[in-house]
Amino acid sequence: DMGLMPKTLYSYQVSAVDAFGNESEKSNAVSVTTGFTTQYVIDENLAEKVGAWTVVTGSGYGSDYAWTPSTLTDTKSAKWTPSIEVAGYYDVFACWTIGADRPTDAKYTVVYDGGSVVTPVNQTINGGSWNLIASNKPFKSGTGGYVILNSGTAVAGKTLVADAVRFLYKSVYDYTAPS
């Protein structure tokens, strides 16, 4: 089925129709509850970029990544915004390609419901894999949360890589005030 709502109960019955249009009795109803997306992966081509970024094909998550020279201040950025179906606590990961010319203090900021956390990462190591940058952070449904990678690092001119981010559902987040 297409176009179903997440976490919604649906009921199904089956009947048979012969070549003359005669329909059998319907089967007993079977009820199922739809699930929801528990993982959101956003490649750099869907990130909102500010400033000049160069796309490199042939490597990286999804066979490409973007890079820009690091700067001493935050003049460029890449922002990944998921469309969360179900509010919950999520772990957030980032992926990058490694290289000797990468910054050792690339700043990933995770903005979630009620706050943000900045995680500096060393892009000279752990490339090509998902690296945890924020654990168990609350996100409401919708597009209010995001991850942003800023160009400001301690050393200008390094190759700052924006590749992909991943949001992984962990548990329920009930942000409704008690009645």
Side-chain angles (χ1 to χ4, degrees):
D1 286 344
M2 302 299 287
L4 301 180
M5 296 298 297
K7 297 187 80 168
T8 303
L9 179 68
Y10 290 92
S11 182
Y12 293 89
Q13 290 182 299
V14 178
S15 65
V17 178
D18 67 17
F20 299 104
N22 300 312
E23 184 175 3
S24 70
E25 290 186 30
K26 293 192 180 335
S27 68
N28 292 332
V30 174
S31 296
V32 294
T33 301
T34 53
F36 59 94
T37 302
T38 59
Q39 173 177 267
Y40 302 88
V41 177
I42 307 168
D43 202 1
E44 104 295 328
N45 60 335
L46 296 176
E48 176 186 332
K49 292 183 244 356
V50 173
W53 290 79
T54 301
V55 174
V56 176
T57 57
S59 65
Y61 180 87
S63 298
D64 62 353
Y65 65 91
W67 72 272
T68 193
S70 62
T71 56
L72 296 178
T73 59
D74 293 334
T75 58
K76 297 175 258 182
S77 63
K79 180 181 176 184
W80 296 266
T81 306
S83 181
I84 302 284
E85 283 181 57
V86 174
Y89 287 93
Y90 288 79
D91 285 347
V92 183
F93 300 82
C95 183
W96 55 83
T97 60
I98 62 170
D101 65 337
R102 308 286 194 258
T104 59
D105 60 344
K107 290 185 307 191
Y108 286 87
T109 302
V110 178
V111 177
Y112 53 89
D113 185 39
S116 65
V117 62
V118 178
T119 303
V121 303
N122 182 347
Q123 288 191 337
T124 66
I125 60 174
N126 300 324
S129 61
W130 291 113
N131 298 278
L132 184 66
I133 59 173
S135 180
N136 214 38
K137 299 302 178 198
F139 286 84
K140 287 185 178 180
S141 59
T143 57
Y146 57 87
V147 172
I148 191 164
L149 172 63
N150 287 303
S151 63
T153 63
V155 178
K158 297 286 187 174
T159 302
L160 179 70
V161 173
D163 196 355
V165 297
R166 176 177 150 203
F167 298 78
L168 182 62
Y169 179 84
K170 300 301 288 183
S171 63
V172 174
Y173 171 45
D174 181 9
Y175 57 89
T176 307
S179 56

